[in-house]
Amino acid sequence: MINYDFTGLPERGTLIRTLILQAILDAIDGRTYLEIGVDGCENFNAVKAKRKLGVDVHLDFLSKNPFEKFLQKKKLQLRKERFFEQASDIFFQTQRSLFEKYKIDVAFVDGFHTF
């Protein structure tokens, strides 16, 4: 059971979304977080989990330079964060081994970036 007082917080926005996701992760002692539609990574970066997976068609926060982009991705992997620059349906088709290897404890799906 999640025992967290959400009264007085804004109804929408990154803050409330992040607090709710973090409360759920903490309540279930979650280790793996998946976010579909990371956009600018505001929410993704704020959520704390042992392992985080992010999916978006456009990872605009990564460098356009292929070598710098490679280095950025390696650095993120060291922090146990992996990003997949692809549509979510392609992600679920091509990354099945991730779901065999890791149990996804909490997933946030906002592929159209509306929340």
Side-chain angles (χ1 to χ4, degrees):
M1 177 169 174
I2 299 171
N3 187 13
Y4 192 89
D5 182 9
F6 293 108
T7 57
L9 295 175
E11 291 181 23
R12 291 185 57 142
T14 301
L15 174 65
I16 186 69
R17 175 175 55 239
T18 303
L19 288 173
I20 291 169
L21 292 166
Q22 192 65 59
I24 295 168
L25 273 164
D26 294 345
I28 64 171
D29 197 26
R31 300 167 57 95
T32 303
Y33 172 72
L34 168 66
E35 185 168 318
I36 305 293
V38 296
D39 200 22
C41 282
E42 296 89 357
N43 189 68
F44 185 89
N45 288 337
V47 170
K48 305 297 178 217
K50 180 174 179 164
R51 184 177 307 100
K52 299 194 296 185
L53 308 170
V55 180
D56 205 302
V57 174
H58 302 290
L59 297 177
D60 294 331
F61 64 94
L62 291 176
S63 174
K64 301 300 179 214
N65 176 297
F67 181 69
E68 290 177 4
K69 188 176 191 176
F70 171 80
L71 292 177
Q72 284 177 310
K73 284 187 172 184
K74 287 298 178 189
K75 183 178 179 183
L76 291 167
Q77 285 178 355
L78 290 174
R79 292 188 343 213
K80 305 266 185 191
E81 296 177 6
R82 288 189 60 193
F83 288 92
F84 301 86
E85 194 166 13
Q86 55 192 180
S88 57
D89 56 338
I90 302 299
F91 168 77
F92 286 111
Q93 290 171 6
T94 61
Q95 303 299 325
R96 292 179 186 201
S97 63
L98 280 175
F99 300 103
E100 294 168 5
K101 186 174 183 180
Y102 305 118
K103 175 184 144 225
I104 305 299
D105 296 301
V106 173
F108 176 63
V109 180
D110 185 22
F112 291 123
H113 313 298
T114 54
F115 289 97

